[in-house]
């Protein structure tokens, strides 16, 4: 009894410290405009009914001046002069564009990689996305010791704090009958319709051609889209050894060790093997002319190949890794590397002419302390850059403001085509009655500036530091809730939903007929008569 009485002041002190700590942390999020809960920052519940008045509604198929009425998270009507009652939140979009929220097809949140974990998780990474006008992303599940089921369960837990909708791709890092069966479960029960194969990262994620062929065949049978990270991992390993032998240990060694011809070779190989199996292929983060030209050639021949550039490859050249300051140089390290000047313009042109179809980010953000793991050896620098918050603004500035694409094309490459490829259109990627109310109000006459001090990522660096441009996302609506307005975030952990993506996307249309034509063209086996002599 006496010892219990003596510990009470200590317990009281600890309780007070914990309460103060929690209050301080909550206020830090409030100051950043991010509420951990509706009551934490005095964030009032958004109306379940929203009317966006007088804007130019833009879809991939066209644009019109119309009102958009939202109720309970769904777009109910899109037409001029909608009349509503007093219980509706009204947003004036006169002179502005009303567009589907962006869908980022390529992100890595809470990703354990190269001895560390990305700084942006499924809450703050998504909050950053919302501030930039992206309302859904598709992240990559990495198997645990090769197990897809264990990987999926791990990512389910990571995503519980989500504040916007998300989907999953699945990586394949080994092959056996268990993995083959798990792929079926992922497609038929877990809502995954795409599998990624790494041709790079030897000794870690890389797979060989035999596994790739098995994976392609299984993807085809399941109606799932095969995806590849296309670099020749064996040659990259040789390139890394070459740089070390030459005494090149800094970030520039990363780019020099994996030149664009190795990206081109792996892209060509993956395309030809996918053609051999006759299954659609999605090439992630197309960073070079070499890879882009392989995709262009295949598409001209009628092969179903999707090419995804990422915003860093469109907006930057490769000079950053030669910066004399290690922190600055290391922040640009990603794979494939950001290429030399000229590749960026070629990728932009390919995007504007339809050779490449949509824009991702490969958002995989590490801070300067994590990047310093490779201060003595570029091979230990965690690979990855930011982009989830900056993509929508930069693509507008680079592609629309320059006159390379139209406003409807902008919607297509930032939202609609992703929704179509992954079989969630028109629930996502459209401003249509019945679509999810994931909407942005975009002011083409406003401007943006990107800095590490003002961004919402937890990283202390930004590869687009100091970039300014035209056009700004002024309002983001996710799931019928206003989550970004007046440069303030109002987001709640756990409010995001997992979006299941069904198999057999439009890319599979006609595949069976092509297979039948192939079989009929063989003229084999030839019936031969055996000699009776």
């Amino acid at each position: 009894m006496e010892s219990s009485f003596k510990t009470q002041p200590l317990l009281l002190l600890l309780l007070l410290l914990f309460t103060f700590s929690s209050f301080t942390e909550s206020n830090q999020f409030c100051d950043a405009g991010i509420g951990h809960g509706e009551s934490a920052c005095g964030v009032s519940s958004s109306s379940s009914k929203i009317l966006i008045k007088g804007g130019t509604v833009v879809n991939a198929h066209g644009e019109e001046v119309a009102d958009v009425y939202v109720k309970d998270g769904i777009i109910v009507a899109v037409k001029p002069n909608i009349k509503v009652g007093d219980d509706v939140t009204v947003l004036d979009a006169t002179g502005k564009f009303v567009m589907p929220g962006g869908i980022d097809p390529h992100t890595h949140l809470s990703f354990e990689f190269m001895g560390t974990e990305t700084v942006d998780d499924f809450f703050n990474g998504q909050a950053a996305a919302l501030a930039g006008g992206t309302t859904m992303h598709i992240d990559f599940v990495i198997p645990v010791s090769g197990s897809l089921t264990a990987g999926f369960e791990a990512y389910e837990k990571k995503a519980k704090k989500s504040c916007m909708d998300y989907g999953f791709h699945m990586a394949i890092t080994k092959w056996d009958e268990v993995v083959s069966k798990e792929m079926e479960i992922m497609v038929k029960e877990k809502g995954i319709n795409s599998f990624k194969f790494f041709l790079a990262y030897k000794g870690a994620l890389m797979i060989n051609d035999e596994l790739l062929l098995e994976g392609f065949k299984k993807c085809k049978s399941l109606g799932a889209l095969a995806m590849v990270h296309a670099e020749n991992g064996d040659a990259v390993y040789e390139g890394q050894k070459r740089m070390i032998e030459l005494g090149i240990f800094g970030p520039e060694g990363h780019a020099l060790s994996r030149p664009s011809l190795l990206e081109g070779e792996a892209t060509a190989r993956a395309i030809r093997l996918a053609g051999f199996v006759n299954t659609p292929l999605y090439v992630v983060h197309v960073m070079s002319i070499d890879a882009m030209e392989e995709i262009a050639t295949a598409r001209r021949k009628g092969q179903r190949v999707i090419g995804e550039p990422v915003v860093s490859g469109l907006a930057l050249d490769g000079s950053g890794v030669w910066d004399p300051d290690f922190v600055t140089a290391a922040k640009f390290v990603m794979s494939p590397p950001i290429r030399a000047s000229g590749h960026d313009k070629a990728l932009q042109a390919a995007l504007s002419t339809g050779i490449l179809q949509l824009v991702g980010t490969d958002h995989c953000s590490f801070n300067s302390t994590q990047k310093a793991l490779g201060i003595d050896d570029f091979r230990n620098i965690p690979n990855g850059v930011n982009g989830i918050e900056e993509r929508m603004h930069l693509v507008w500035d680079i592609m629309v403001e320059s006159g390379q694409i139209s406003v409807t094309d902008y919607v297509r490459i930032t939202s609609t085509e992703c929704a179509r490829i992954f079989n969630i259109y028109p629930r996502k990627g459209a401003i249509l009655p019945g679509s999810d109310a994931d909407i942005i109000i975009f002011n083409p006459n406003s401007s943006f500036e990107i800095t590490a001090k003002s961004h919402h990522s937890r990283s202390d660096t930004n590869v687009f530091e100091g970039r300014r441009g035209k056009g700004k996302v002024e309002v983001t609506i996710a799931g019928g809730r206003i989550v970004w307005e007046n440069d303030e975030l109002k987001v709640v952990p756990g409010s995001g939903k997992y979006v299941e993506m069904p198999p057999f996307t439009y890319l599979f249309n006609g595949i069976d007929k092509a297979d039948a034509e192939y079989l009929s063209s063989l003229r084999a086996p030839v019936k031969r008569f055996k000699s009776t002599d």
Side-chain angles (χ1 to χ4, degrees):
M1 183 74 177
E2 183 179 342
S3 61
S4 173
F5 178 78
K6 285 180 179 178
T7 59
Q8 283 181 7
L10 178 60
L11 289 171
L12 183 60
L13 178 61
L14 288 171
L15 181 61
L16 286 169
L17 285 171
F18 175 77
T19 305
F20 177 75
S21 173
S22 300
F23 177 76
T24 305
E25 182 181 359
S26 174
N27 276 346
Q28 286 173 346
F29 276 94
C30 293
D31 292 341
I34 304 174
H36 254 295
E38 296 254 327
S39 61
C41 301
V43 178
S44 60
S45 216
S46 297
S47 167
S48 63
K49 302 175 184 177
I50 301 169
L51 179 66
I52 306 169
K53 285 195 67 67
T56 300
V57 176
V58 186
N59 281 296
H61 59 267
E63 56 184 284
E64 61 176 326
V65 176
D67 298 345
V68 179
Y69 180 49
V70 170
K71 182 179 178 182
D72 298 330
I74 302 295
I75 297 170
V76 175
V78 182
K79 59 185 181 181
N81 303 315
I82 297 175
K83 306 297 182 187
V84 294
D86 295 335
D87 59 339
V88 176
T89 300
V90 179
L91 300 172
D92 184 7
T94 305
K96 301 170 186 177
F97 293 115
V98 179
M99 301 187 281
I103 307 174
D104 189 340
H106 189 156
T107 62
H108 297 280
L109 302 182
S110 297
F111 178 33
E112 296 164 31
F113 186 52
M114 296 184 72
T116 186
E117 183 173 341
T118 52
V119 293
D120 291 327
D121 61 22
F122 276 81
F123 176 59
N124 84 278
Q126 290 183 354
L130 292 168
T134 288
T135 53
M136 179 179 170
H137 71 112
I138 311 178
D139 212 87
F140 287 88
V141 172
I142 307 300
V144 174
S145 301
S147 168
L148 312 194
T149 301
F152 186 84
E153 289 171 353
Y155 271 75
E156 274 188 314
K157 291 176 184 175
K158 292 179 181 185
K160 283 188 175 178
K161 59 178 75 172
S162 291
C163 57
M164 75 180 196
D165 290 359
Y166 61 96
F168 286 143
H169 310 290
M170 174 69 73
I172 303 294
T173 56
K174 73 171 192 177
W175 189 261
D176 55 30
E177 282 305 309
V178 175
V179 170
S180 178
K181 187 64 180 176
E182 283 187 311
M183 286 177 71
E184 292 184 29
I185 294 169
M186 291 300 124
V187 172
K188 295 175 181 178
E189 300 177 19
K190 303 300 185 182
I192 287 176
N193 67 359
S194 50
F195 294 92
K196 182 180 181 182
F197 303 87
F198 290 87
L199 307 188
Y201 301 120
K202 185 173 182 176
L205 301 171
M206 177 178 158
I207 52 94
N208 60 29
D209 287 353
E210 181 182 6
L211 191 158
L212 187 63
L213 282 166
E214 291 294 337
F216 280 180
K217 288 190 294 182
K218 192 66 179 182
C219 282
K220 180 181 180 179
S221 70
L222 294 172
L225 184 57
M227 313 174 83
V228 288
H229 172 138
E231 290 180 287
N232 186 311
D234 289 319
V236 167
Y237 182 72
E238 287 301 312
Q240 290 174 332
K241 288 197 297 184
R242 180 188 298 173
M243 292 304 114
I244 297 303
E245 288 168 2
L246 292 171
I248 301 170
F249 298 95
E252 69 279 9
H254 175 79
L256 292 169
S257 68
R258 47 207 316 144
S260 61
L261 81 162
L262 300 187
E263 185 186 354
E265 185 280 330
T267 303
R269 179 160 40 100
I271 287 171
R272 284 160 175 75
L273 292 179
F276 177 68
V277 174
N278 189 29
T279 196
L281 180 69
Y282 183 116
V283 184
V284 303
H285 49 43
V286 177
M287 298 295 285
S288 67
I289 294 171
D290 308 56
M292 179 270 289
E293 288 182 341
E294 295 292 345
I295 293 167
T297 299
R299 288 178 63 85
R300 276 197 304 271
K301 294 177 180 177
Q303 191 171 342
R304 294 160 193 221
V305 182
I306 298 295
E308 168 212 271
V310 292
V311 68
S312 52
L314 296 170
L316 303 170
D317 62 38
S319 61
V321 292
W322 269 265
D323 195 285
D325 175 59
F326 175 83
V327 171
T328 301
K331 75 178 179 181
F332 292 101
V333 170
M334 67 173 291
S335 294
I338 300 165
R339 303 298 183 186
S341 182
H343 289 270
D344 51 346
K345 299 294 184 187
L347 294 174
Q348 293 171 27
L351 190 58
S352 69
T353 55
I355 293 169
L356 304 176
Q357 289 71 48
L358 73 169
V359 182
T361 62
D362 194 10
H363 182 90
C364 187
S365 198
F366 298 99
N367 63 30
S368 57
T369 302
Q370 293 170 304
K371 290 278 189 175
L373 291 169
I375 195 164
D376 297 319
D377 186 339
F378 67 85
R379 294 173 296 181
N380 297 325
I381 300 172
N383 291 194
V385 301
N386 60 286
I388 200 168
E389 183 172 357
E390 298 81 8
R391 180 183 71 120
M392 298 291 282
H393 289 119
L394 287 171
V395 172
W396 178 275
D397 190 56
I398 293 166
M399 301 300 297
V400 182
E401 281 297 321
S402 66
Q404 294 188 76
I405 63 171
S406 66
V407 183
T408 52
D409 282 338
Y410 173 78
V411 169
R412 176 177 56 80
I413 67 174
T414 60
S415 184
T416 307
E417 189 58 26
C418 183
R420 291 184 68 236
I421 289 169
F422 295 104
N423 232 4
I424 51 175
Y425 180 86
R427 175 184 172 185
K428 302 289 186 183
I431 306 289
L432 294 170
S435 297
D436 285 358
D438 295 340
I439 303 167
I440 61 172
I441 299 176
F442 190 92
N443 187 345
N445 299 312
S446 190
S447 60
F448 69 86
E449 180 179 3
I450 299 170
T451 67
K453 288 183 178 178
S454 63
H455 72 198
H456 294 83
S457 167
R458 283 187 180 144
S459 179
D460 56 348
T461 64
N462 192 305
V463 293
F464 309 107
E465 184 70 34
R467 184 95 178 214
R468 294 183 174 88
K470 284 285 295 290
K472 190 172 190 299
V473 176
E474 293 191 338
V475 177
T476 304
I477 298 168
R481 297 167 57 91
I482 299 169
V483 293
W484 174 254
E485 187 180 23
N486 300 321
D487 290 334
E488 288 184 1
L489 273 167
K490 298 177 181 178
V491 291
V492 182
S495 57
K497 298 188 293 293
Y498 175 59
V499 177
E500 295 191 5
M501 300 181 291
F504 292 103
T505 179
Y506 79 91
L507 294 167
F508 282 87
N509 294 345
I511 288 284
D512 53 345
K513 291 181 180 178
D515 283 342
E517 287 179 9
Y518 165 73
L519 291 174
S520 66
S521 72
L522 295 179
R523 298 191 303 139
V526 175
K527 293 181 180 178
R528 292 182 173 85
F529 297 100
K530 293 183 178 179
S531 173
T532 57
D533 294 341

